[in-house]
Structure formats: structure tokens, C-alpha cells
């Protein structure tokens, strides 16, 4: 016989479902409690507030992604590290589509909103993992990226997240091949070079 989920886990699960469907601001504590089948005191016991619930949700559910991305920086050569970053992010989004869709919306939440501020440390950790790869490549290669690593990391992360957004709307796939294709697009451009006449 299957054991019921612990109450704390149920609250996190139902909150994620509601936040991803209606946005953080569009969901109240009572709605979360009703959906989880508990009273408000139970939510406050575990998380202190709706914000505390969100902070716990992001910290616990995003930790595996950030830990995997930080390991990817050890991969060499540089293009393989980029593929690892894309592939690990794609895999996480494929396995946690509801969470990643909500996470993406928080990148674009109003700057002073409670949800955006709660997500900021996670967005920063995500970006820093990407930036570390570009910074290491800059230091090792001397290929003239000086001062541009942050812009390049942000551009690559944006491309990865854009592909995930498209895939979550069923217009692309999230697999190893699409990760490699995303890196090739970033490094070489979206279109193959036109062949010369006679070739």
C-alpha cells in the first residue's frame, strides 16, 4: 500500500502547481491550504508565511540543478562544457517542467516583487555557473574574450532558456541532440554557411 505524502511535501507540491498555473501573486495562502487539505496553521508551522513557502520551494527543488551546473564547469574542452550546461539544464526542465516554467516566469517578474526577490539568488547562482565556464575559457585561451565573459554567458543562458520555453510549449525537444545543436547555434550561428557556386 502506497504511503501518503508527508504534509510538508504536499504543501510544496500543491503550491508549485498553483504558482505555475496562476503566478505567485495570483495565489493566496487559503487556496494553497484548501488544495493541500490542511489549515493555515499547518502552513505557517512549516514555512512561516507564503513567502517562506516559496523560498523553501525554490531552494530545495532547484538545488539539484545548480549543483549539476556547477560540476559542468570541470568538463573540457570549452564546447563540451557548454554542451554539458545545456544538456543538464534541458534534462532538469524535461523532468521538472512545471517547476522550470514557473522558474522562467520569475526571471521576468516585476523587479520589486516578492517573488522576483525570492528568486534572485537562484537566478544569480544559475548565471554564475554559466559565467564560470566562460571566465575559465577566457583565462585559459587568451582568445580575446577579455571583459566579455559575462555578456557571453548571459547570451548563452538566454538561448538555453529560450529553447526550453519553446520546448515547454511543444515546439522543440529537450535532449542531448538539441543541447548540442543549441551550442552549435551559439558558437557558429543559426544558419550553415552558404555553399559557393559549383560546390
Amino acid at each position: 500500500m502506497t504511503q501518503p505524502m508527508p504534509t510538508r511535501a504536499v504543501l510544496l507540491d500543491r503550491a508549485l502547481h498553483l504558482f505555475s498555473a496562476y503566478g505567485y501573486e495570483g495565489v493566496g495562502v487559503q487556496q494553497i491550504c484548501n488544495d493541500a487539505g490542511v489549515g493555515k496553521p499547518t502552513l505557517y508551522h512549516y514555512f512561516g508565511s507564503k513567502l517562506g513557502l516559496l523560498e523553501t520551494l525554490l531552494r530545495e527543488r532547484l538545488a539539484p540543478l545548480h549543483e549539476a551546473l556547477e560540476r559542468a564547469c570541470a568538463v573540457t574542452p570549452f564546447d563540451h562544457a557548454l554542451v554539458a550546461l545545456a544538456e543538464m539544464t534541458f534534462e532538469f526542465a524535461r523532468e521538472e517542467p512545471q517547476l522550470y516554467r514557473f522558474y522562467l516566469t520569475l526571471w521576468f517578474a516585476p523587479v520589486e516583487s516578492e517573488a522576483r526577490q525570492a528568486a534572485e539568488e537562484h537566478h544569480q547562482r544559475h548565471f554564475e555557473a554559466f559565467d564560470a565556464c566562460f571566465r575559465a575559457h577566457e583565462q585559459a585561451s587568451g582568445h580575446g574574450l577579455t571583459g566579455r565573459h559575462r555578456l557571453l554567458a548571459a547570451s548563452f543562458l538566454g538561448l538555453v532558456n529560450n529553447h526550453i520555453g519553446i520546448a515547454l510549449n511543444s515546439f522543440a525537444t529537450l535532449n542531448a541532440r538539441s543541447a548540442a545543436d543549441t551550442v552549435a547555434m551559439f558558437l557558429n550561428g543559426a544558419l550553415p554557411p552558404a555553399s559557393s557556386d559549383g560546390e
Side-chain angles (χ1 to χ4, degrees):
M1 183 175 177
T2 304
Q3 293 294 319
M5 289 176 66
T7 301
R8 183 181 184 278
V10 171
L11 280 163
L12 289 168
D13 185 67
R14 301 320 297 161
L16 174 59
H17 173 76
L18 292 168
F19 292 159
S20 65
Y22 304 107
Y24 175 77
E25 301 294 342
V27 177
V29 168
Q30 188 63 61
Q31 188 176 4
I32 296 169
C33 292
N34 289 347
D35 218 43
V38 301
K40 286 184 180 180
T42 301
L43 184 148
Y44 295 139
H45 167 74
Y46 284 114
F47 306 109
S49 64
K50 187 175 88 163
L51 175 59
L53 191 159
L54 174 63
E55 290 171 339
T56 301
L57 174 68
L58 295 176
R59 183 177 63 252
E60 293 184 2
R61 300 286 177 92
L62 291 172
L65 169 65
H66 296 317
E67 290 163 5
L69 294 177
E70 287 158 3
R71 290 193 301 270
C73 292
V75 175
T76 56
F78 175 61
D79 60 328
H80 289 196
L82 295 187
V83 170
L85 287 172
E87 193 169 342
M88 288 174 181
T89 310
F90 285 4
E91 180 180 358
F92 184 85
R94 187 175 66 247
E95 294 178 354
E96 298 279 359
Q98 197 173 59
L99 173 59
Y100 209 90
R101 184 184 292 275
F102 175 55
Y103 179 56
L104 284 179
T105 68
L106 298 179
W107 287 91
F108 304 103
V111 174
E112 296 301 322
S113 68
E114 196 171 77
R116 170 69 177 270
Q117 292 183 15
E120 185 62 31
E121 66 179 279
H122 304 286
H123 291 157
Q124 189 62 31
R125 186 176 176 187
H126 198 154
F127 169 75
E128 292 298 340
F130 277 60
D131 186 50
C133 286
F134 283 88
R135 190 167 62 249
H137 179 64
E138 175 182 290
Q139 293 169 352
S141 67
H143 283 171
L145 298 182
T146 305
R148 297 178 60 215
H149 59 86
R150 293 185 71 79
L151 176 60
L152 291 169
S155 298
F156 181 57
L157 176 55
L159 184 61
V160 167
N161 277 337
N162 186 63
H163 186 97
I164 291 171
I166 293 169
L168 292 176
N169 289 325
S170 303
F171 289 104
T173 57
L174 296 172
N175 55 33
R177 173 63 185 273
S178 60
D181 288 346
T182 299
V183 172
M185 184 182 298
F186 178 76
L187 293 176
N188 305 315
L191 299 175
S195 59
S196 302
D197 291 341
E199 291 187 358

